[in-house]
Amino acid sequence: MSAPTTTFHEAYPLDELRAADYNPRRLSQDAFVRLQTSLRRHGIVKPVILNADGTLVAGHQRTKGLKAIGITHTPAVMLGTKVRLQDEIQFNLLHNRVETEASVVYAEPGELGTWSWIPWQTIRVADRKNLSFVNAIGHMTAGHGPWGSVVIDDQGRIVLNAEYAVVAVASRFDLLAWTVPSSEAAQLHADLTGEYGVYDWSAIEDKAPVWNQHIVQPKRLRQFSSKAKQGKLSYGSETWDQLVVPWLKPTQRVVDFGAGYGDYAKHLRAKGFNVHDYEPYRCTPGSYAVDIKAVVGMIRDIDKDLRANGLYEVVVLDSVINATTSLDYQHWVLTTVNALCAADGLVCLGTRNLARELRDEQAQRVTSQAATTRMSFLDDDNVEMNFVKGKWQKLRFHTPDTLEALLRRYFGDVKVSDPSGSNLKAVCRDPLPLPEADYQKAFEEEFNMPYPNDFRHGRHLELVGNLIKLVLERNEARMG
């Protein structure tokens, strides 16, 4: 099979571009003014990138800036074949992140102020860095063809997008380059590498309904996992393995809230432990179809257990907060967990650690010799969205401080642990009284979740009534 091809258009009409409806970046007014100033000062030194059908894959903000200053055409690289939506979105997200110039690369410059093609054989890589980004670029060029370009000064130093030049040598394709005077290179670099947008997912909120989150449910304790086949420990949960299992007794009553596939509950029940589980998006085996019968069965099981035995001694909340699609759902989850916890009970939870995520990404940029692409696309609320199996899903991150502050709204005693790990962990005691209206709303949402086509099963009312009664009794006893 031949390698993908791309086509360079030196003057593509802006009016013929079609913006992608998922573009996640937003510019402030100040940034937009700086962008226009840069375009006036330097001209267009980076082509936009188009899918084969003319959809703008990368360069949305640049295009807006060009139109604002009266430019009608732009250099453009068009992919040779139309790529599927998932790849197009990945391309959009990765493109700006991998345009870096930590590597030191030299080549023969072209004429000043013109585009030229540099034969890959003539490119000299003096120092290769940012290997995770080099790997990402290599993956993208292998799948879509040579889509990028560089800026080179008249002394032969590549001053913008040097990691792309490293890939050109390794992959043996010629390099599209714009040549500038070395006296202007520093200003150009400063102008083009400033912050030109932050991630803002609000434009595609409706593309990530809460039921999409079931596609990221972790599979725990799977004997046929890739690790198990290698003779290693099968996939586990740090929350369960470190915070719960070491001291858990068969006589203690546990509920695993947001249990995913329920692997730990099944595993421990088989060993005689009293573990109940609830997952509103429990899937049928081997598919992503939600098993409504199983969901209703879990609701009835918890209702029966609550009526017979009261609130739970242990509530487990493993990898749930990080999958909440909004601050409302985060509040409803924690309100429900607060309610399920007995006055002398405890909540053990784990969620994704922002500091570890950013530290891992930074380390892989500059040090890893075998790095894979691990890049975060965080908005101002430390939320990112990924396009997985044809669906958008959200991932929410916390720091130790933000997690503790959040949990103290629901519990009097909060201890956060493992601040350097990939998953923050916390043990919470002393559930605080919350307004009855908050409980009512949370139970309505959490035990009667929305499904596609506006369907809700409506089989939650008995559980809601009994849980309201129990939590109000607990709160009244606490207040004396």
Side-chain angles (χ1 to χ4, degrees):
M1 179 181 295
S2 60
T5 59
T6 55
T7 303
F8 174 58
H9 300 269
E10 192 162 350
Y12 196 93
L14 292 178
D15 288 345
E16 294 183 14
L17 301 180
R18 296 195 300 110
D21 61 2
Y22 54 77
N23 180 51
R25 293 181 70 80
R26 166 177 52 85
L27 261 68
S28 67
Q29 184 58 36
D30 286 347
F32 191 50
V33 170
R34 285 192 292 108
L35 175 60
Q36 295 174 61
T37 300
S38 172
L39 290 169
R40 288 191 180 100
R41 178 183 291 150
H42 305 292
I44 312 169
V45 302
K46 290 172 58 178
V48 301
I49 302 172
L50 310 177
N51 207 337
D53 63 355
T55 300
L56 190 58
V57 176
H60 290 79
Q61 309 305 338
R62 227 173 313 145
T63 299
K64 293 177 184 177
L66 291 171
K67 290 181 177 179
I69 63 175
I71 302 297
T72 59
H73 290 71
T74 179
V77 174
M78 180 174 283
L79 304 181
T81 57
K82 187 177 185 308
V83 299
R84 60 179 182 160
L85 180 61
Q86 181 162 341
D87 290 334
E88 184 179 302
I89 292 169
Q90 182 187 46
F91 197 107
N92 177 285
L93 291 172
L94 287 175
H95 170 259
N96 287 321
R97 298 298 303 279
V98 299
E99 287 198 328
T100 57
E101 43 283 325
S103 300
V104 179
V105 184
Y106 297 95
E108 186 67 29
E111 293 184 17
L112 287 174
T114 65
W115 293 102
S116 62
W117 289 95
I118 300 174
W120 66 266
Q121 299 93 332
T122 66
I123 302 169
R124 182 170 65 87
V125 179
D127 189 10
R128 187 175 71 159
K129 294 183 178 179
N130 271 3
L131 298 188
S132 64
F133 285 23
V134 169
N135 290 345
I137 295 169
H139 176 76
M140 294 163 69
T141 56
H144 309 305
W147 45 265
S149 64
V150 301
V151 175
I152 187 170
D153 68 21
D154 55 13
Q155 302 302 305
R157 171 102 183 232
I158 291 178
V159 297
L160 196 72
N161 212 0
E163 276 67 61
Y164 184 83
V166 171
V167 174
V169 176
S171 301
R172 301 186 175 187
F173 59 77
D174 294 342
L175 191 61
L176 178 63
W178 177 265
T179 304
V180 299
S182 55
S183 59
E184 298 178 8
Q187 181 65 57
L188 174 70
H189 183 271
D191 287 346
L192 267 65
T193 57
E195 179 54 64
Y196 285 113
V198 295
Y199 290 99
D200 178 4
W201 303 109
S202 58
I204 53 175
E205 287 285 340
D206 61 340
K207 297 181 184 295
V210 63
W211 57 79
N212 278 6
Q213 297 302 88
H214 74 285
I215 63 179
V216 291
Q217 290 175 11
K219 295 180 174 65
R220 308 294 197 189
L221 301 175
R222 297 303 170 97
Q223 61 178 327
F224 299 112
S225 70
S226 58
K227 288 186 178 181
K229 289 179 180 178
Q230 297 169 20
K232 300 178 182 179
L233 182 67
S234 56
Y235 296 109
S237 158
E238 293 180 2
T239 305
W240 275 100
D241 292 339
Q242 297 178 24
L243 298 187
V244 183
V245 172
W247 53 263
L248 188 65
K249 297 179 175 61
T251 55
Q252 293 173 299
R253 294 172 52 248
V254 184
V255 63
D256 186 359
F257 188 81
Y261 292 94
D263 295 321
Y264 270 84
K266 297 172 190 174
H267 174 69
L268 291 170
R269 281 198 296 265
K271 292 188 171 185
F273 288 86
N274 189 0
V275 182
H276 302 261
D277 62 313
Y278 173 65
E279 172 52 58
Y281 295 109
R282 177 68 52 81
C283 298
T284 56
S287 80
Y288 286 111
V290 176
D291 188 344
I292 299 296
K293 183 177 179 180
V295 173
V296 173
M298 287 182 280
I299 288 174
R300 289 173 174 167
D301 172 69
I302 292 173
D303 181 39
K304 179 180 178 181
D305 188 53
L306 287 171
R307 283 188 281 110
N309 303 298
L311 299 175
Y312 287 95
E313 297 166 83
V314 183
V315 183
V316 179
L317 191 69
D318 180 27
S319 301
V320 176
I321 294 176
N322 48 258
T324 52
T325 57
S326 68
L327 295 178
D328 282 340
Y329 270 108
Q330 182 175 256
H331 174 59
W332 295 331
V333 164
L334 290 170
T335 298
T336 304
V337 166
N338 164 290
L340 289 167
C341 183
D344 58 352
L346 61 102
V347 173
C348 300
L349 66 88
T351 193
R352 297 292 292 273
N353 186 350
L354 175 64
R356 176 62 179 269
E357 183 77 5
L358 296 179
R359 187 166 63 250
D360 284 352
E361 179 185 332
Q362 182 62 31
Q364 289 197 20
R365 283 190 194 183
V366 296
T367 63
S368 175
Q369 295 295 315
T372 55
T373 304
R374 182 185 178 88
M375 302 175 194
S376 300
F377 305 96
L378 297 164
D379 67 10
D380 291 338
D381 294 321
N382 293 326
V383 172
E384 70 174 352
M385 289 182 68
N386 296 310
F387 198 67
V388 181
K389 301 185 186 301
K391 299 180 184 294
W392 285 103
Q393 58 92 15
K394 281 188 174 182
L395 197 60
R396 187 179 303 275
F397 292 85
H398 277 284
T399 67
D401 289 342
T402 63
L403 180 62
E404 181 171 351
L406 172 67
L407 296 176
R408 287 197 178 280
R409 293 164 49 192
Y410 304 88
F411 299 94
D413 183 359
V414 175
K415 290 183 173 60
V416 176
S417 61
D418 202 8
S420 62
S422 58
N423 286 290
L424 290 173
K425 302 171 188 66
V427 175
C428 306
R429 293 180 170 86
D430 186 20
L432 300 175
L434 302 175
E436 182 177 349
D438 281 20
Y439 288 123
Q440 193 76 44
K441 176 62 174 176
F443 301 166
E444 182 66 32
E445 293 295 334
E446 290 300 314
F447 293 115
N448 192 29
M449 296 284 280
Y451 298 96
N453 301 316
D454 296 321
F455 174 74
R456 295 182 188 248
H457 56 67
R459 306 294 181 86
H460 64 301
L461 296 178
E462 289 189 18
L463 169 59
V464 170
N466 289 324
L467 187 53
I468 286 285
K469 177 176 178 292
L470 288 170
V471 73
L472 292 181
E473 289 175 353
R474 182 200 70 188
N475 292 348
E476 289 171 5
R478 184 184 191 277
M479 293 185 291

